[in-house]
Amino acid sequence: MPERNLSQSHSDPEHSATQPDDVIAGAAGEAPSTQATGEETESFRDVLAEFEKSHARKEEDRGKQLEGTVVSVTADSLYLDIGYKTEGILPLSALRPGEQFKPGDKIPVSVKGRNPEGYYELSRSKVRLPADWPALERAFQDKATIMGTVTAVIKGGLSVDVGVRAFMPASRSGVRDAAEMEKLVGQEIRCRITKLDVADEDGVVDRRAVLEEEERAAGERRYAEIHEGEVVRGTVRSLTDYGAFVDIGGVDGLLHVSDISWGRVGKPADVLIIGQEIEAKVLKVDAAKQRISLGLKQLQPHPWETVAEKYKPGERVRGVVTRIVDFGAFVELEPGIEGLIHISEMSWSRRIKKASDVVKQGDAVEAVILGVNAADKRISLGLKQALGDPWENVARKHPVGSVVQGPVTNITNFGAFVQLAEGVEGMVHVSDISADKRINHPRDVLKVGTPVQAVVLAIDQVKRQFRLGMKQLVPTGLDEFLAEHKPGDVCTGRLVDESGNVELGEGVHATCRMTGLQAREEQRAEAKGDLSSLSAMLQAKWKSGPTAVKTEARAGQVRSFRIVNLDREQKKIEVEMA
C-alpha cells in the first residue's frame, strides 16, 4: 500500500498537494509498523520534498500575475494553460464588454484558488491574501478586492481569515440561508474590507458587494453581446401574470404573455414551467435600462399568412368564443386566428342587444364565414347563417290561406307578433283580431306567450313580413251564405247604391251588374222637361212589367236578384236583377 501511494504521488505532484493531512503526517513521522527498506525511505523523502516545493510554489503563486494561453472557449468560460499541470478556468464574465479571445491568445491572469473539479480559478485582476497589516490598510483605503478563507459560521455571520480575523455579516455574504453559509466554510472567497479596527487587529469584510459588481460587469458584457433579431436559449426563472422572466446567460429577458403564442394565452403558467429551457427571439434590447424583450411566437410562421387560402366565404367553421364585447363575440378558429360574430348576425328573428344573451365565453360554436380581409386581419362570421335562412322556403311551408299556429312574441299598439318558426314571425293587425267587437288595443285580448291560430293573409319575402288574421277563422254570415248557395239561385237583397252594391244579408255583400244608366237618363230627362221622353218612360213603366221595374231601381229598394257568379275562395258574389 505505501509503495502504491508514493508512486502515485511521485508521478502526479499536483495530486500529492491534495493528499489528506494524515497521509502527509504519517509520511513525515514515525516509520510504519511494517519495516520499510532504505530505498523506500529515500523515495518517500523525494516525494515529500516535491510536495513541499509544489505547495510552497502554489502559496507563492496565489494572486501572482501569470500569463495564460487560451486553450478552448465554451459558452461561459475560457480554459487557459497557465504552466501548471491542471488548466485554469476564467469565466467570460471577467471579460470587458465586447472583448473576445480565441485559442492561442495570451491573457494576463492571477490564481484565486481551485474549484471542486480541480481546475484553477483565474481572475483578470491581481487578487491576493494580504501579507501584513500595512497591506490590509492599503486594501481598505483602495477598496480593493482581496482573498479570504471562511473559517466558521458564527452568530450573525461568518468568520473570515484575511491575514487577520475578520467578521462578515450574514447579509453581506451573498447567500440566502444558513445551509448555503455552511457550504462556504473552508472556501476561499473574494471580498472587500469595509471596516478595520487597529486596536483589536480585526475588521469587517463584504462579499456581496464584490459579487454584485461582478454580476453587473457580466450583465453589461451580456447586454453588449445580445442583438435584436437573434435567437437565444434560456431557462424560465420566474412566472408572473404578465409574462415570464428568462435567464439567457447571466441576464434576464422578459417574455411577455402576448409574445408567447399567436393564440390567446390566459396566463404564462398555462404553457410554461419554471426551469423549462426554451428558445426565443430577441425583440428589443435597452442596454441603458438593462431590459431585454423576448418573443416565443415570433419563431413560428404568422398564421394570417395563409388565411386567404384556408378560409373562404360561405364555408362553415367551428371555433371557441374567446371574448365578448358590446358589438359581438370573437371566436378563435385556430391559434392566432379570430373571427367576429356581429350581434346583427346572431339571430334571424330577435333583436340582440348584448352578445352575452346568445353566447358565453368558452362556448364552442359553428358559424359561416361571411368575409375575409387578410390585410386587416379580419374575418366576419355569421351565427344565424349556420342555422339556415328560415325564410328560404317560407312560402312553400306557409302559403296564403293556410292556417298557422304559434305563440305571441310581442304586442304593440297596432297589433301582435306571432312566431311561426325559428326566425319567422307574422303580424296580426288589430283590425284582424276579432270580427265580433272593436278592439282598442291588442293587449285587451292577447298576452305574450299565448298560443294562437291565424290565417296567412299575405307574404312579403323581400321585407320578410307575414300578414295574419285571426278573425278570418271565425265563421260569418258570408261563409254560411257561400256554403248554402250556388250560381243561378234567386235571393232577395237591398240595393245599397246606384253603383250596383247589393246587401243580401248581414255581412253578405254582392255586386249587381245593373249600371243605373236608365235611371240617370230619366233624371236628365226630367231636368230638361223632355215630355216625349217622359211619356215613353211612363208607357214602359205600365206596359213592360219587370223590365220597367229594373229601370226604376233606386238606392234602398228591396229587390230580387239572381246569383251570376260565386267565388268561395275570394268570397265574392256577383248578381243581376231577377
Side-chain angles (χ1 to χ4, degrees):
M1 179 67 73
E3 291 181 0
R4 184 182 62 180
N5 288 340
L6 293 176
S7 175
Q8 185 179 25
S9 299
H10 181 72
S11 61
D12 187 356
E14 297 294 331
H15 180 74
S16 67
T18 61
Q19 291 297 309
D21 293 339
D22 56 346
V23 175
I24 302 299
E30 297 292 330
S33 57
T34 57
Q35 294 183 355
T37 64
E39 184 179 351
E40 290 175 338
T41 303
E42 187 67 25
S43 298
F44 179 78
R45 289 175 181 173
D46 294 340
V47 172
L48 180 60
E50 181 67 26
F51 163 75
E52 291 174 346
K53 179 180 178 181
S54 174
H55 185 72
R57 178 171 65 89
K58 288 177 177 56
E59 291 299 325
E60 181 183 352
D61 289 346
R62 187 180 300 276
K64 180 181 178 181
Q65 199 78 15
L66 303 172
E67 184 178 64
T69 302
V70 177
V71 176
S72 62
V73 181
T74 66
D76 55 6
S77 304
L78 295 176
Y79 287 84
L80 288 84
D81 179 2
I82 54 175
Y84 294 174
K85 191 160 186 151
T86 305
E87 295 173 347
I89 183 170
L90 177 68
L92 293 180
S93 59
L95 304 182
R96 290 183 288 273
E99 194 173 23
Q100 294 182 352
F101 291 95
K102 62 182 183 297
D105 290 344
K106 305 291 186 179
I107 306 176
V109 293
S110 58
V111 178
K112 299 187 300 182
R114 298 184 77 169
N115 63 16
E117 287 77 24
Y119 291 100
Y120 289 98
E121 293 181 333
L122 305 178
S123 171
R124 294 291 299 280
S125 58
K126 188 175 181 180
V127 180
R128 68 175 66 184
L129 181 69
D132 50 26
W133 186 259
L136 286 171
E137 290 181 330
R138 286 194 301 272
F140 173 61
Q141 293 173 359
D142 297 341
K143 297 181 179 180
T145 300
I146 62 173
M147 294 298 296
T149 302
V150 179
T151 58
V153 176
I154 60 176
K155 184 177 180 180
L158 298 166
S159 176
V160 183
D161 180 8
V162 293
V164 297
R165 181 175 60 87
F167 172 68
M168 183 166 65
S171 62
R172 307 309 301 175
S173 65
V175 295
R176 298 181 179 181
D177 52 37
E180 292 182 354
M181 290 177 62
E182 289 284 353
K183 294 179 181 179
L184 289 178
V185 177
Q187 292 189 22
E188 288 185 324
I189 61 170
R190 297 182 300 282
C191 56
R192 184 172 297 155
I193 301 173
T194 58
K195 183 179 179 182
L196 204 57
D197 192 327
V198 178
D200 295 337
E201 289 192 352
D202 61 11
V204 178
V205 294
D206 185 342
R207 175 175 180 256
R208 177 177 165 184
V210 175
L211 295 178
E212 288 176 348
E213 286 182 2
E214 292 177 349
E215 186 177 350
R216 281 195 297 271
E220 291 175 0
R221 177 185 60 80
R222 188 66 174 141
Y223 281 113
E225 293 176 347
I226 297 176
H227 303 286
E228 293 182 9
E230 70 174 300
V231 177
V232 295
R233 289 191 63 83
T235 303
V236 178
R237 187 177 60 81
S238 63
L239 297 171
T240 66
D241 290 338
Y242 56 86
F245 287 95
V246 182
D247 182 356
I248 52 175
V251 294
D252 281 352
L254 173 61
L255 175 59
H256 195 268
V257 63
S258 62
D259 290 312
I260 292 177
S261 172
W262 290 115
R264 186 169 297 277
V265 176
K267 52 184 179 179
D270 293 338
V271 293
L272 298 173
I273 59 174
I274 294 177
Q276 180 180 351
E277 292 189 0
I278 62 173
E279 279 192 346
K281 187 174 184 178
V282 178
L283 304 181
K284 186 177 180 181
V285 178
D286 189 337
K289 296 182 179 180
Q290 293 191 341
R291 294 178 181 174
I292 298 176
S293 299
L294 303 176
L296 197 60
K297 70 181 185 181
Q298 286 77 7
L299 297 180
Q300 304 296 326
H302 199 297
W304 279 93
E305 293 177 358
T306 58
V307 159
E309 301 173 1
K310 294 175 63 176
Y311 299 100
K312 305 292 183 182
E315 292 181 346
R316 287 176 175 261
V317 291
R318 294 188 62 85
V320 177
V321 177
T322 56
R323 286 183 296 154
I324 295 179
V325 293
D326 293 338
F327 53 85
F330 287 92
V331 177
E332 185 181 57
L333 305 180
E334 63 176 85
I337 303 296
E338 287 185 339
L340 171 66
I341 303 177
H342 195 269
I343 54 175
S344 62
E345 304 297 343
M346 289 186 172
S347 175
W348 290 108
S349 56
R350 288 191 296 160
R351 181 178 178 83
I352 308 300
K353 295 182 179 179
K354 297 186 300 181
S356 58
D357 293 339
V358 181
V359 295
K360 298 290 186 293
Q361 186 171 342
D363 286 353
V365 297
E366 185 176 10
V368 173
I369 298 176
L370 305 181
V372 177
N373 187 339
D376 294 337
K377 297 182 174 60
R378 293 179 181 176
I379 296 179
S380 300
L381 303 175
L383 187 64
K384 65 184 183 182
Q385 288 81 0
L387 303 175
D389 188 351
W391 282 86
E392 187 174 352
N393 299 316
V394 72
R396 180 176 58 82
K397 293 180 179 179
H398 307 291
V400 174
S402 62
V403 178
V404 295
Q405 182 174 346
V408 176
T409 58
N410 189 26
I411 295 177
T412 65
N413 293 332
F414 54 84
F417 289 89
V418 179
Q419 185 180 36
L420 307 183
E422 181 67 29
V424 180
E425 288 184 338
M427 195 271 288
V428 181
H429 194 268
V430 64
S431 62
D432 289 316
I433 293 177
S434 176
D436 300 331
K437 57 182 179 179
R438 180 180 179 83
I439 306 300
N440 295 323
H441 197 285
R443 196 176 291 112
D444 296 340
V445 293
L446 296 175
K447 292 182 180 180
V448 173
T450 303
V452 298
Q453 280 190 333
V455 175
V456 178
L457 303 179
I459 302 174
D460 188 336
Q461 284 190 281
V462 176
K463 295 182 179 180
R464 294 177 179 262
Q465 293 178 350
F466 258 91
R467 182 186 167 198
L468 306 177
M470 294 174 59
K471 71 179 184 180
Q472 286 78 3
L473 291 177
V474 180
T476 62
L478 176 59
D479 296 326
E480 295 175 355
F481 185 91
L482 292 172
E484 296 174 356
H485 292 78
K486 62 182 181 300
D489 289 351
V490 176
C491 53
T492 302
R494 182 176 66 86
L495 189 63
V496 178
D497 53 41
E498 295 181 4
S499 63
N501 290 324
V502 177
E503 184 178 22
L504 301 179
E506 185 178 355
V508 181
H509 295 270
T511 302
C512 184
R513 289 182 175 179
M514 184 192 74
T515 61
L517 292 176
Q518 291 179 339
R520 285 193 290 274
E521 287 294 334
E522 290 178 0
Q523 293 175 357
R524 284 196 293 271
E526 289 178 351
K528 293 180 180 179
D530 189 347
L531 297 178
S532 61
S533 296
L534 180 59
S535 298
M537 184 186 65
L538 290 174
Q539 275 187 340
K541 181 178 179 181
W542 292 104
K543 296 180 180 180
S544 302
T547 304
V549 175
K550 294 178 185 178
T551 59
E552 295 178 356
R554 293 290 187 272
Q557 291 182 347
V558 177
R559 299 288 183 180
S560 294
F561 298 91
R562 181 181 292 105
I563 298 176
V564 178
N565 187 24
L566 189 147
D567 189 339
R568 291 185 174 84
E569 290 185 0
Q570 300 295 326
K571 295 186 178 183
K572 292 181 179 181
I573 304 172
E574 188 177 3
V575 299
E576 65 181 5
M577 286 187 179

